[in-house]
């Protein structure tokens, strides 16, 4: 502890000298040469003491140094979380739903047969919806005069401001991670749709909460709610203890989603169809995580040039570099090929 205390005192002395150097021209309104002279005399002395105390780092002085790194990382991560919370969007603001009548006619079927002229003779005929098992092809080919019957189909569109893009649905499951709690979907989801205008069958917005206990029981780790405004969207909360390893159990989330869906279904046939769709989608789940390319936001305050230079150094040169080398997912138990990083430019 003696080494840790000595290193902390030497660091405080050097930081105090630096702050006084900044105060001389900006607060006291004294000439810059006086500030430079102050720093050259006292700053060099304090710098020598601080440099000498670096030898104590392996013998206990690493404690205050580690605390300083933790404070810096928490500060920068908090700015990223603020950006995530400030850029939340309502689903209805950029996704619209339209119900369109569709003529459900029999599927067109092509019969291929070899012609005498060693070529292919293609004959197009209409067939019924589904072929009957154990029946020859000619038995279920119908006439082209079959009357189509109308039905309604719900479609989702992405509103980009100028145009609306049709969002097709894939039989997969995507889990979008929300870095901070609050209403709205993460900025990552909108950026994902702009690059790939396709929606998975099951979309889950997952919020992670660290509970003030060492371990959380498996049956208490997940809470799932359904987004009522659009089909196939769900909100989930993953609660883990501070000693639990980060491992999102997709099967547990899928099970809770099926329970939610079955509550509002009256027909057994519909219930079976919905459960099958969700389980099939859950077999190919993908974890989508934001990867922020942070940029220091310029502040317009007293002493802005120096403060902005320090913020740019800490955020863009230090924090950004460390975040690239050590991403959040490095400690996750999910397989690397199940994680997609979506790049987002964040001005913090």
């Amino acid at each position: 502890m003696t080494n840790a205390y000595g290193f902390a005192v030497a660091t405080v002395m050097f930081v105090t000298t630096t702050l006084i150097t900044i105060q001389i021209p900006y607060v006291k309104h004294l000439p810059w040469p006086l500030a430079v002279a102050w720093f050259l005399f006292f700053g060099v002395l304090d710098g020598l003491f601080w440099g000498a105390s670096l030898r104590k780092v392996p013998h206990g002085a690493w404690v205050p140094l580690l605390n300083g790194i933790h404070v810096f990382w928490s500060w920068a991560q908090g700015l990223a979380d603020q950006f995530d919370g400030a850029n939340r969007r309502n689903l209805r603001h950029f996704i619209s739903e339209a119900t369109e009548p569709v003529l459900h006619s029999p599927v067109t079927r092509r019969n291929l047969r070899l012609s005498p002229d060693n070529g292919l003779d293609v004959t197009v005929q209409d067939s019924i919806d589904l072929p009957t098992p154990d029946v020859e092809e000619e038995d279920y080919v119908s006439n082209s005069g079959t009357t189509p019957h109308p039905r309604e189909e719900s479609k989702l569109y992405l509103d980009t401001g100028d145009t609306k893009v049709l969002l097709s649905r894939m039989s997969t499951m995507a889990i979008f991670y929300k870095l901070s709690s609050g209403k709205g979907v993460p900025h990552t989801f909108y950026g994902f749709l702009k690059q790939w205008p396709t929606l998975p069958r099951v979309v889950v917005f997952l919020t992670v909460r660290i509970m003030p206990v060492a371990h959380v029981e498996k049956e208490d780790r997940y809470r799932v709610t359904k987004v009522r405004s659009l089909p196939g969207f769900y909100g989930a909360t993953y609660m883990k203890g501070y000693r639990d390893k980060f491992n999102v159990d997709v099967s547990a989330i899928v099970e809770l989603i099926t329970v939610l869906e079955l509550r509002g279904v009256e027909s057994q046939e519909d219930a079976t169809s919905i459960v099958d769709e969700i389980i099939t989608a859950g077999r190919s789940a993908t974890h989508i995580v934001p990867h922020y390319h942070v940029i220091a936001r310029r502040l317009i305050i007293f002493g802005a040039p120096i403060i902005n230079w320090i913020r740019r150094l800490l955020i863009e040169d230090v924090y950004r570099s460390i975040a690239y080398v050590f991403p959040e997912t490095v400690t996750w138990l999910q397989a690397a090929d199940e994680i997609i990083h979506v790049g987002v430019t964040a001005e913090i």
Side-chain angles (χ1 to χ4, degrees), residues 96-313:
S96 57
E97 182 180 12
T99 303
E100 300 178 357
V102 178
L103 292 179
H104 186 54
S105 58
V107 180
T108 300
R109 187 177 187 85
R110 293 179 177 177
N111 295 332
L112 303 179
R113 65 175 182 270
L114 287 173
S115 66
D117 300 328
N118 65 21
L120 282 176
D121 183 17
V122 181
T123 304
V124 180
Q125 292 180 320
D126 292 333
S127 63
I128 61 175
D129 294 342
L130 294 175
T132 305
D134 302 326
V135 179
E136 295 295 330
E137 182 176 355
E138 289 76 8
D139 293 336
Y140 61 82
V141 173
S142 64
N143 297 326
S144 59
T146 305
T147 304
H149 52 277
R151 63 183 178 88
E152 290 187 348
E153 183 177 350
S154 178
K155 296 183 178 181
L156 299 179
Y157 294 86
L158 173 65
D159 188 1
T160 60
D162 300 331
T163 59
K164 287 188 176 182
V165 181
L166 176 63
L167 297 173
S168 58
R169 303 299 290 260
M170 299 184 302
S171 182
T172 58
M173 177 179 179
I175 302 176
F176 291 85
Y177 286 77
K178 299 167 66 174
L179 297 182
S180 58
S181 58
K183 295 183 178 180
V185 299
H187 187 272
T188 313
F189 179 65
Y190 181 71
F192 177 85
L193 291 184
K194 288 182 65 178
Q195 298 296 327
W196 300 283
T198 303
L199 274 176
R201 169 61 181 84
V202 178
V203 179
V204 178
F205 302 110
L206 183 69
T207 301
V208 181
R209 290 186 179 179
I210 309 299
M211 308 303 293
V213 293
H215 301 283
V216 177
E217 298 296 331
K218 291 184 178 181
E219 59 271 14
D220 299 328
R221 289 182 181 177
Y222 301 98
R223 296 290 184 271
V224 177
T225 58
K226 183 178 180 181
V227 178
R228 302 292 180 182
S229 56
L230 294 173
F233 289 81
Y234 308 89
T237 302
Y238 172 40
M239 293 168 287
K240 63 181 292 290
Y242 55 82
R243 297 193 64 183
D244 288 332
K245 293 186 179 297
F246 195 100
N247 185 22
V248 177
D249 189 355
V250 176
S251 60
I253 297 177
V254 169
E255 182 179 353
L256 293 175
I257 290 176
T258 55
V259 172
L260 278 178
E261 291 290 353
L262 291 177
R263 290 177 182 175
V265 178
E266 298 179 356
S267 171
Q268 181 64 31
E269 182 179 353
D270 293 342
T272 303
S273 175
I274 291 175
V275 170
D276 290 342
E277 289 182 7
I278 295 175
I279 293 178
T280 302
R283 291 171 183 165
S284 56
T286 303
H287 305 264
I288 301 178
V289 185
H291 182 76
Y292 288 128
H293 179 80
V294 293
I295 299 175
R297 180 169 54 91
R298 298 189 63 181
L299 304 179
I300 304 177
I301 56 175
F302 182 78
I306 295 179
I307 295 177
N308 286 330
W309 180 82
I310 295 174
R311 292 183 82 254
R312 185 169 61 251
L313 174 66

